[in-house]
Amino acid sequence: MMMELSAYRDIFIEELNEQLERIDQSLLALEHAPTAELIQTIFRAAHTIKGSASTMGFREMSDLTHEVEYALEWVREKKPEITGILIDTLFRALDAMKLLRSQYVSGGEFTDCSAVVAEIKALINKPAEAQPVRLPVLDAAERLQAEEAVAAGYSLLALVVTLREDCQMKAARHYILLQRIEEVCGPVIATALAPSPAPGADEDVRYSQFAVVAASPREIRQVSEQLAGETDVESIVITPFVPEPAAGTDIQTTSVPVLTESSSSTPGKGKSHEVQSTVRVSVERLDHLMNLVGELLIEQTSLADLSTAGQRNDPAKVLPDIGSISDHMGGIIKELQEGVMKTRMLPMDQLFNRFPRLVRDLAQKLGKDIELQIQGGETELDRMIIEELSDPLIHLIRNSADHGIESPEVRVQQGKAPKGRITLTSFHEENQVVIRLEDDGQGIDAARITASALSKGIITEEQAGYLTAQEAVSLIFEPGFSTASEVSEVSGRGVGMDIVRSQIGRLNGIIDIQTEPGAGTLFTIRLPLTLAIIKGLLVNVSGRVLILPMYNVAEIVRISPEEIQVVQGEQAIINHGRIVPLSWLRDKLHYPRTERRSKTIPLVIVRSVDRIAAFAVDEIIGNQEVVIKSLGAYLGTMNHLSGATILGNGRVALILDASYLVSH
């Protein structure tokens, strides 16, 4: 039976991803505008997951979605107010489902979702009073303490303690239990209390349930046994604790309960399930490709007939017909190429739909009111680029929310609306996709950027003297740069920005910044439609044909040797009033020098992300579309090359990595 079910695993995972995404989007919409239709949509998605998970023997997922389904049925029947507590609880259940999905794919031990189930049941039984405690969010110092404890061989444990309702002086009992936990477990790293059920309520109620993160050399069972029977304690739930994931990982709220490993056996557990990468293609596109292949077969038959006729008669008579067929085949191949490329394309919605939840959680954590507006989600981009683009956009959004958007109080003082706005837009422009991320926050202060860069030794006093405002702002992309006076848990303006730049550069993209202090910041990312086929500029260097991607070519110029200047000991040229570093491509690639026959020097001005450089070549050949082929692992690390292609004459031409050349 398991062999039969394994054949459907990929289909199940694909459907599971779709339904989880549907629940995520519907919960976000439900929070802003509750409707019976949205509740029904979430209910149907949970019911679908429950059925398919049960069929696949995925009992952990089936049991959890059954409880979610029951909660939604209660909402449909009782029609309670859709509160933030209800939405948060459903989001935590969703995050637990995502965690189970990841473990199912990786073949790891499944988690026991009893904590989430208990939270759902408590909410249904006491909707107005149930305010479950959230696990602590570690700040920078606490995270460092946790890392040191783990390095010393300790385990991180999360303890959720619930006191008896008849417990007197809950606050005092809370402090006594903290000391007891430290005696049994080890160092207490962080604690969190339950929120007050209502304004003005007795603060002692907050201590009725609290969470503790501790580092312990003991196993959960040992800790549980030693803490059993404590006075005034209703229950103590002990689970492994995992700090909030770093930026760029799968999006989860910090309030996701950390769950204990289940000892139940599930078919297939412990085995990694390798999920095949798939793309959905419309039947119309496949039919179009089939029609084009049919036309190619017809033209192939025509060429075969002409070949036979040429052998029987004068070959010169069939040359015009061969030329006509060749032109027609060229058009078909071009259309076939575009059709195949479109099958790799996905709408940007596949990526953008992940971010409303991220912004919601960030706004809650930061105590801000932030709205995310998305435009151009129908814009299509290569699937591989979309997958690699997630991390850079998460970095940018987190920085905009944390250090771009001001608090509601500050915004009102500055005459702005209390709700901040982040706008994410995508559209096609020529052969590129443009993505814009804009916030209406406080902007970036160029003077502050320059001062911070000086203090960290990123630039010298001399360099600071001739920096323009735009060049100063671009310093946020330098490794280790930050203007934050203290490390923020979410981000720091500039923290991780060097990662953003390098990742965009690896995608052969460019990122620009426009900012106005007090008005906001705009990041513009330009990316090629695909990395499989590019338009390349062919150049001759020491008798070798090399290719530079056209989307990295800013300009092609010719200069006389007298125009070359020396700036700080390095060769450079003045281009549109800007100093541009100059390198001879033959020297950079360690090719032998050849005799220069022309009086002028052809230069290719190459741009990558926020940097620009000029490269001298022997000859500009022209541009053409090329198919990128991998060089293979047997050549070792070749950082200056991104691949190779085969030219029309059958020769191999190397494709240069413009990002590496400019930065080195």
Side-chain angles (χ1 to χ4, degrees):
M1 179 63 178
M2 285 309 301
M3 289 301 293
E4 295 174 7
L5 288 179
S6 64
Y8 300 101
R9 186 170 288 119
D10 290 348
I11 299 173
F12 166 65
I13 293 296
E14 186 175 352
E15 182 185 46
L16 178 59
N17 290 336
E18 287 181 5
Q19 299 301 334
L20 291 176
E21 180 70 22
R22 183 170 288 115
I23 294 175
D24 205 331
Q25 297 301 313
S26 299
L27 280 176
L28 287 166
L30 186 68
E31 184 174 34
H32 291 94
T35 65
E37 184 181 354
L38 284 171
I39 294 171
Q40 181 64 19
T41 299
I42 301 170
F43 181 87
R44 283 197 303 266
H47 183 75
T48 300
I49 293 173
K50 184 181 78 168
S52 56
S54 179
T55 302
M56 295 297 296
F58 193 177
R59 184 176 60 79
E60 288 79 2
M61 180 69 80
S62 178
D63 290 348
L64 177 57
T65 48
H66 173 74
E67 295 299 332
V68 173
E69 191 179 30
Y70 181 77
L72 292 166
E73 182 65 31
W74 173 81
V75 171
R76 289 196 304 183
E77 290 181 0
K78 302 295 184 181
K79 295 182 172 55
E81 181 185 357
I82 304 298
T83 63
I85 299 171
L86 173 62
I87 296 294
D88 287 344
T89 302
L90 291 175
F91 266 128
R92 282 192 283 277
L94 173 64
D95 289 329
M97 286 188 253
K98 290 181 178 178
L99 183 61
L100 287 173
R101 174 198 59 188
S102 300
Q103 292 166 339
Y104 181 83
V105 173
S106 65
E109 287 292 318
F110 292 130
T111 54
D112 175 17
C113 299
S114 58
V116 182
V117 171
E119 189 176 343
I120 294 172
K121 289 181 176 179
L123 183 68
I124 293 173
N125 294 332
K126 292 183 176 180
E129 301 172 9
Q131 300 215 20
V133 67
R134 297 186 178 188
L135 293 177
V137 177
L138 304 188
D139 61 24
E142 292 166 343
R143 186 181 292 275
L144 180 60
Q145 184 182 355
E147 290 173 353
E148 290 174 348
V150 171
Y154 284 60
S155 299
L156 299 182
L157 301 181
L159 299 88
V160 178
V161 182
T162 304
L163 300 180
R164 293 170 57 92
E165 289 188 14
D166 58 358
C167 173
Q168 302 296 319
M169 301 179 66
K170 292 183 174 66
R173 177 57 59 189
H174 160 263
Y175 289 114
I176 293 172
L177 285 171
L178 280 183
Q179 293 176 1
R180 176 64 177 150
I181 289 171
E182 192 153 23
E183 290 174 6
V184 173
C185 287
V188 171
I189 295 173
T191 62
L193 297 176
S196 300
D202 185 0
E203 276 297 305
D204 202 49
V205 176
R206 297 191 63 200
Y207 295 91
S208 60
Q209 189 182 53
F210 57 92
V212 179
V213 174
S216 178
R218 298 180 176 87
E219 295 181 355
I220 290 177
R221 179 180 51 79
Q222 296 173 314
V223 174
S224 180
E225 289 173 354
Q226 293 192 45
L227 290 177
E230 290 291 324
T231 306
D232 292 331
V233 173
E234 179 73 30
S235 66
I236 301 180
V237 179
I238 308 173
T239 64
F241 179 79
V242 181
E244 183 192 30
T249 57
D250 193 20
I251 302 167
Q252 298 178 3
T253 60
T254 56
S255 57
V256 179
V258 182
L259 309 166
T260 52
E261 294 181 353
S262 169
S263 59
S264 62
S265 61
T266 301
K269 183 183 292 185
K271 298 178 182 178
S272 178
H273 307 313
E274 202 171 303
V275 180
Q276 297 296 322
S277 234
T278 59
V279 178
R280 288 194 172 185
V281 182
S282 67
V283 175
E284 289 79 8
R285 284 188 176 178
L286 291 177
D287 288 343
H288 179 58
L289 292 177
M290 183 60 73
N291 290 335
L292 291 174
V293 172
E295 290 187 40
L296 276 179
L297 290 174
I298 293 171
E299 297 302 332
Q300 181 190 32
T301 303
S302 299
L303 278 177
D305 292 342
L306 287 174
S307 175
T308 303
Q311 292 173 1
R312 295 175 180 173
N313 306 307
D314 185 1
K317 293 181 179 180
V318 299
L319 286 178
D321 293 331
I322 291 176
S324 175
I325 292 174
S326 175
D327 291 341
H328 190 213
M329 288 184 70
I332 296 172
I333 291 171
K334 178 69 175 176
E335 200 172 345
L336 187 61
Q337 172 192 320
E338 292 174 355
V340 172
M341 282 178 58
K342 285 181 179 178
T343 63
R344 292 173 53 96
M345 300 292 186
L346 289 176
M348 294 297 295
D349 271 338
Q350 297 271 345
L351 175 62
F352 287 177
N353 284 343
R354 307 175 195 175
F355 300 140
R357 170 75 185 283
L358 173 65
V359 172
R360 172 195 180 271
D361 293 340
L362 288 172
Q364 283 190 344
K365 185 186 303 181
L366 298 167
K368 299 179 180 180
D369 193 359
I370 306 175
E371 174 190 15
L372 176 65
Q373 295 182 350
I374 294 177
Q375 302 168 2
E378 70 282 354
T379 305
E380 291 189 326
L381 186 61
D382 191 294
R383 180 179 187 272
M384 185 173 71
I385 298 179
I386 283 182
E387 290 173 351
E388 296 294 327
L389 196 57
S390 177
D391 287 0
L393 287 179
I394 287 175
H395 274 291
L396 293 177
I397 290 173
R398 288 168 71 95
N399 275 283
S400 289
D402 189 16
H403 290 289
I405 301 294
E406 310 94 334
S407 66
E409 297 78 15
V410 172
R411 291 180 64 85
V412 170
Q413 290 173 5
Q414 296 176 349
K416 296 181 179 180
K419 177 178 287 188
R421 185 179 68 251
I422 298 175
T423 305
L424 187 58
T425 309
S426 67
F427 56 89
H428 285 125
E429 188 177 272
E430 297 179 349
N431 290 326
Q432 295 179 324
V433 167
V434 179
I435 299 171
R436 288 180 176 169
L437 181 73
E438 183 175 11
D439 67 61
D440 65 348
Q442 60 187 352
I444 302 175
D445 187 343
R448 188 182 174 202
I449 297 291
T450 303
S452 180
L454 272 171
S455 67
K456 290 178 170 58
I458 295 175
I459 58 173
T460 63
E461 290 278 0
E462 182 183 358
Q463 290 172 324
Y466 59 76
L467 276 180
T468 65
Q470 183 61 41
E471 289 170 338
V473 169
S474 296
L475 289 173
I476 68 172
F477 290 119
E478 294 300 320
F481 180 85
S482 176
T483 59
S485 57
E486 59 183 24
V487 178
S488 164
E489 176 204 338
V490 175
S491 60
R493 178 67 86 183
V495 175
M497 286 297 186
D498 60 315
I499 298 173
V500 172
R501 180 176 66 178
S502 63
Q503 289 179 322
I504 296 296
R506 281 201 298 269
L507 296 174
N508 292 322
I510 294 170
I511 183 168
D512 285 321
I513 314 175
Q514 292 177 315
T515 186
E516 184 179 342
T521 302
L522 169 65
F523 289 93
T524 302
I525 300 172
R526 299 179 183 276
L527 295 161
L529 285 174
T530 179
L531 298 179
I533 300 175
I534 65 167
K535 199 165 191 176
L537 177 68
L538 278 65
V539 298
N540 189 313
V541 178
S542 298
R544 298 166 174 83
V545 176
L546 302 173
I547 297 174
L548 284 161
M550 281 298 296
Y551 39 71
N552 290 122
V553 176
E555 195 175 352
I556 300 172
V557 298
R558 288 183 175 273
I559 63 167
S560 62
E562 293 76 21
E563 294 179 66
I564 299 176
Q565 302 184 20
V566 177
V567 179
Q568 294 183 339
E570 301 291 338
Q571 289 188 334
I573 63 168
I574 305 297
N575 181 254
H576 302 299
R578 179 179 180 180
I579 299 174
V580 178
L582 170 64
S583 299
W584 295 81
L585 203 50
R586 67 184 179 220
D587 296 338
K588 206 167 187 68
L589 301 177
H590 305 291
Y591 289 165
R593 297 196 174 196
T594 55
E595 183 181 352
R596 182 165 54 84
R597 299 175 182 177
S598 174
K599 295 181 180 179
T600 59
I601 304 170
L603 299 182
V604 181
I605 298 179
V606 176
R607 186 182 182 192
S608 175
V609 193
D610 63 323
R611 299 181 179 180
I612 194 168
F615 295 98
V617 299
D618 295 338
E619 179 188 2
I620 305 291
I621 299 174
N623 62 74
Q624 69 179 55
E625 287 190 336
V626 295
V627 179
I628 300 178
K629 300 290 185 181
S630 172
L631 293 174
Y634 53 87
L635 286 179
T637 303
M638 308 285 283
N639 292 325
H640 65 290
L641 300 177
S642 60
T645 191
I646 300 175
L647 302 176
N649 58 10
R651 294 183 61 185
V652 174
L654 298 176
I655 302 172
L656 300 175
D657 187 330
S659 174
Y660 182 83
L661 291 177
V662 172
S663 59
H664 293 75

